[in-house]
Amino acid sequence: MAKQKKSILEAYMHSVLENGKEPENVYKFCSENGFKEPDFYQEYGSLEAVKKSVFTTFFHKTRELLEKNEEYHTYDSREKLLSFYYTFFELLTANRSYVLAVLPSNIKEFNKLEQLKGLREAFNDFSKDIFSKHIESEAERLEKFKAGTFQEAAWAQLLIVMRFWVNDESAGFEKTDIFIEKAIKATFDLVENTPIKSVLDLGKFLFKEATA
């Protein structure tokens, strides 16, 4: 079943790229890709459901790769979030043509996308766990904060980095890597109540990119 689900997902992404639009209906999609309709409906209730599952699948694949890495389990919260970002964006890069085809370049439109809803829910659970553990270790200085405060900020940050990556034309997307490092540092410095230097550093980087 898992193999069939993956095949349908990959066929959907290929169809979008080949035709420059989403498949018209389940019947036509199945006919063109060699699936039986009953098999399709065993895995997905509609083509919209397939579309919504793409970015969620990227997230779960990222977590799967991280969990297989024994060294990852020894990382602190900052290193775990950084590892997530690097791995997640490697997957996005491997599927960049599809991602660019379905995501807008305007950050204001990102948060309205239904296809990112599943990603948001999964990432929020992940980031809440990350910040909960970090805040517990910083309990005396952070008793007035809650992990949820940073959970929403973490999601907004992920969207901003995705938007930056969408528009990044640097070789190997090295500017996105730099942005990730500065963004994560600024986030954890904010959690630890020492944000000034890293936030200014991030601001300078963004200003430089905006005026380049």
PDB file of all heavy atoms in Angstrom, residues 114-125:
ATOM      1  N   GLU A 114      -3.837  26.006   0.989  1.00  0.00           N
ATOM      2  CA  GLU A 114      -4.384  24.819   1.638  1.00  0.00           C
ATOM      3  C   GLU A 114      -3.396  23.667   1.590  1.00  0.00           C
ATOM      4  O   GLU A 114      -3.351  22.830   2.489  1.00  0.00           O
ATOM      5  CB  GLU A 114      -5.694  24.417   0.954  1.00  0.00           C
ATOM      6  CG  GLU A 114      -6.899  25.196   1.408  1.00  0.00           C
ATOM      7  CD  GLU A 114      -7.263  24.913   2.865  1.00  0.00           C
ATOM      8  OE1 GLU A 114      -7.286  23.725   3.245  1.00  0.00           O
ATOM      9  OE2 GLU A 114      -7.499  25.873   3.605  1.00  0.00           O
ATOM     10  N   GLN A 115      -2.581  23.634   0.517  1.00  0.00           N
ATOM     11  CA  GLN A 115      -1.658  22.514   0.363  1.00  0.00           C
ATOM     12  C   GLN A 115      -0.537  22.525   1.406  1.00  0.00           C
ATOM     13  O   GLN A 115       0.183  21.538   1.552  1.00  0.00           O
ATOM     14  CB  GLN A 115      -1.054  22.495  -1.034  1.00  0.00           C
ATOM     15  CG  GLN A 115      -0.233  23.718  -1.385  1.00  0.00           C
ATOM     16  CD  GLN A 115       0.251  23.666  -2.818  1.00  0.00           C
ATOM     17  OE1 GLN A 115       0.883  22.721  -3.237  1.00  0.00           O
ATOM     18  NE2 GLN A 115      -0.079  24.684  -3.587  1.00  0.00           N
ATOM     19  N   LEU A 116      -0.395  23.636   2.141  1.00  0.00           N
ATOM     20  CA  LEU A 116       0.610  23.704   3.196  1.00  0.00           C
ATOM     21  C   LEU A 116       0.016  23.452   4.583  1.00  0.00           C
ATOM     22  O   LEU A 116       0.737  23.455   5.581  1.00  0.00           O
ATOM     23  CB  LEU A 116       1.312  25.067   3.185  1.00  0.00           C
ATOM     24  CG  LEU A 116       2.140  25.407   1.941  1.00  0.00           C
ATOM     25  CD1 LEU A 116       2.818  26.759   2.117  1.00  0.00           C
ATOM     26  CD2 LEU A 116       3.183  24.326   1.649  1.00  0.00           C
ATOM     27  N   LYS A 117      -1.282  23.219   4.651  1.00  0.00           N
ATOM     28  CA  LYS A 117      -1.952  23.040   5.940  1.00  0.00           C
ATOM     29  C   LYS A 117      -1.405  21.832   6.698  1.00  0.00           C
ATOM     30  O   LYS A 117      -1.138  21.898   7.895  1.00  0.00           O
ATOM     31  CB  LYS A 117      -3.463  22.885   5.724  1.00  0.00           C
ATOM     32  CG  LYS A 117      -4.259  22.821   7.019  1.00  0.00           C
ATOM     33  CD  LYS A 117      -5.759  22.750   6.742  1.00  0.00           C
ATOM     34  CE  LYS A 117      -6.544  22.686   8.035  1.00  0.00           C
ATOM     35  NZ  LYS A 117      -8.018  22.618   7.772  1.00  0.00           N
ATOM     36  N   GLY A 118      -1.238  20.710   5.988  1.00  0.00           N
ATOM     37  CA  GLY A 118      -0.719  19.508   6.635  1.00  0.00           C
ATOM     38  C   GLY A 118       0.711  19.698   7.102  1.00  0.00           C
ATOM     39  O   GLY A 118       1.089  19.222   8.185  1.00  0.00           O
ATOM     40  N   LEU A 119       1.508  20.393   6.292  1.00  0.00           N
ATOM     41  CA  LEU A 119       2.881  20.695   6.671  1.00  0.00           C
ATOM     42  C   LEU A 119       2.894  21.548   7.936  1.00  0.00           C
ATOM     43  O   LEU A 119       3.694  21.307   8.846  1.00  0.00           O
ATOM     44  CB  LEU A 119       3.596  21.431   5.533  1.00  0.00           C
ATOM     45  CG  LEU A 119       4.991  21.997   5.857  1.00  0.00           C
ATOM     46  CD1 LEU A 119       5.953  20.875   6.218  1.00  0.00           C
ATOM     47  CD2 LEU A 119       5.521  22.812   4.674  1.00  0.00           C
ATOM     48  N   ARG A 120       2.010  22.523   7.985  1.00  0.00           N
ATOM     49  CA  ARG A 120       1.961  23.412   9.157  1.00  0.00           C
ATOM     50  C   ARG A 120       1.663  22.624  10.429  1.00  0.00           C
ATOM     51  O   ARG A 120       2.325  22.808  11.453  1.00  0.00           O
ATOM     52  CB  ARG A 120       0.906  24.490   8.949  1.00  0.00           C
ATOM     53  CG  ARG A 120       0.752  25.395  10.165  1.00  0.00           C
ATOM     54  CD  ARG A 120      -0.183  26.548   9.920  1.00  0.00           C
ATOM     55  NE  ARG A 120      -0.211  27.450  11.075  1.00  0.00           N
ATOM     56  CZ  ARG A 120      -0.673  28.684  11.047  1.00  0.00           C
ATOM     57  NH1 ARG A 120      -1.141  29.186   9.913  1.00  0.00           N
ATOM     58  NH2 ARG A 120      -0.659  29.429  12.127  1.00  0.00           N
ATOM     59  N   GLU A 121       0.683  21.740  10.371  1.00  0.00           N
ATOM     60  CA  GLU A 121       0.314  20.962  11.548  1.00  0.00           C
ATOM     61  C   GLU A 121       1.470  20.074  12.006  1.00  0.00           C
ATOM     62  O   GLU A 121       1.770  19.995  13.203  1.00  0.00           O
ATOM     63  CB  GLU A 121      -0.924  20.113  11.240  1.00  0.00           C
ATOM     64  CG  GLU A 121      -2.184  20.945  11.010  1.00  0.00           C
ATOM     65  CD  GLU A 121      -3.362  20.111  10.559  1.00  0.00           C
ATOM     66  OE1 GLU A 121      -3.173  18.883  10.326  1.00  0.00           O
ATOM     67  OE2 GLU A 121      -4.470  20.656  10.432  1.00  0.00           O
ATOM     68  N   ALA A 122       2.111  19.412  11.043  1.00  0.00           N
ATOM     69  CA  ALA A 122       3.217  18.507  11.382  1.00  0.00           C
ATOM     70  C   ALA A 122       4.417  19.285  11.917  1.00  0.00           C
ATOM     71  O   ALA A 122       5.040  18.893  12.910  1.00  0.00           O
ATOM     72  CB  ALA A 122       3.610  17.686  10.157  1.00  0.00           C
ATOM     73  N   PHE A 123       4.738  20.394  11.272  1.00  0.00           N
ATOM     74  CA  PHE A 123       5.888  21.189  11.698  1.00  0.00           C
ATOM     75  C   PHE A 123       5.638  21.842  13.048  1.00  0.00           C
ATOM     76  O   PHE A 123       6.553  21.948  13.874  1.00  0.00           O
ATOM     77  CB  PHE A 123       6.215  22.258  10.653  1.00  0.00           C
ATOM     78  CG  PHE A 123       7.400  23.098  11.027  1.00  0.00           C
ATOM     79  CD1 PHE A 123       8.690  22.589  10.939  1.00  0.00           C
ATOM     80  CD2 PHE A 123       7.235  24.400  11.484  1.00  0.00           C
ATOM     81  CE1 PHE A 123       9.795  23.359  11.307  1.00  0.00           C
ATOM     82  CE2 PHE A 123       8.333  25.182  11.840  1.00  0.00           C
ATOM     83  CZ  PHE A 123       9.609  24.653  11.749  1.00  0.00           C
ATOM     84  N   ASN A 124       4.405  22.278  13.301  1.00  0.00           N
ATOM     85  CA  ASN A 124       4.088  22.897  14.588  1.00  0.00           C
ATOM     86  C   ASN A 124       4.294  21.910  15.738  1.00  0.00           C
ATOM     87  O   ASN A 124       4.804  22.280  16.800  1.00  0.00           O
ATOM     88  CB  ASN A 124       2.651  23.417  14.593  1.00  0.00           C
ATOM     89  CG  ASN A 124       2.519  24.775  13.934  1.00  0.00           C
ATOM     90  OD1 ASN A 124       3.515  25.396  13.560  1.00  0.00           O
ATOM     91  ND2 ASN A 124       1.299  25.245  13.773  1.00  0.00           N
ATOM     92  N   ASP A 125       3.891  20.654  15.527  1.00  0.00           N
ATOM     93  CA  ASP A 125       4.104  19.634  16.559  1.00  0.00           C
ATOM     94  C   ASP A 125       5.594  19.422  16.801  1.00  0.00           C
ATOM     95  O   ASP A 125       6.048  19.300  17.941  1.00  0.00           O
ATOM     96  CB  ASP A 125       3.451  18.312  16.150  1.00  0.00           C
ATOM     97  CG  ASP A 125       1.936  18.358  16.241  1.00  0.00           C
ATOM     98  OD1 ASP A 125       1.408  19.239  16.939  1.00  0.00           O
ATOM     99  OD2 ASP A 125       1.286  17.499  15.604  1.00  0.00           O
TER     100      ASP A 125
END
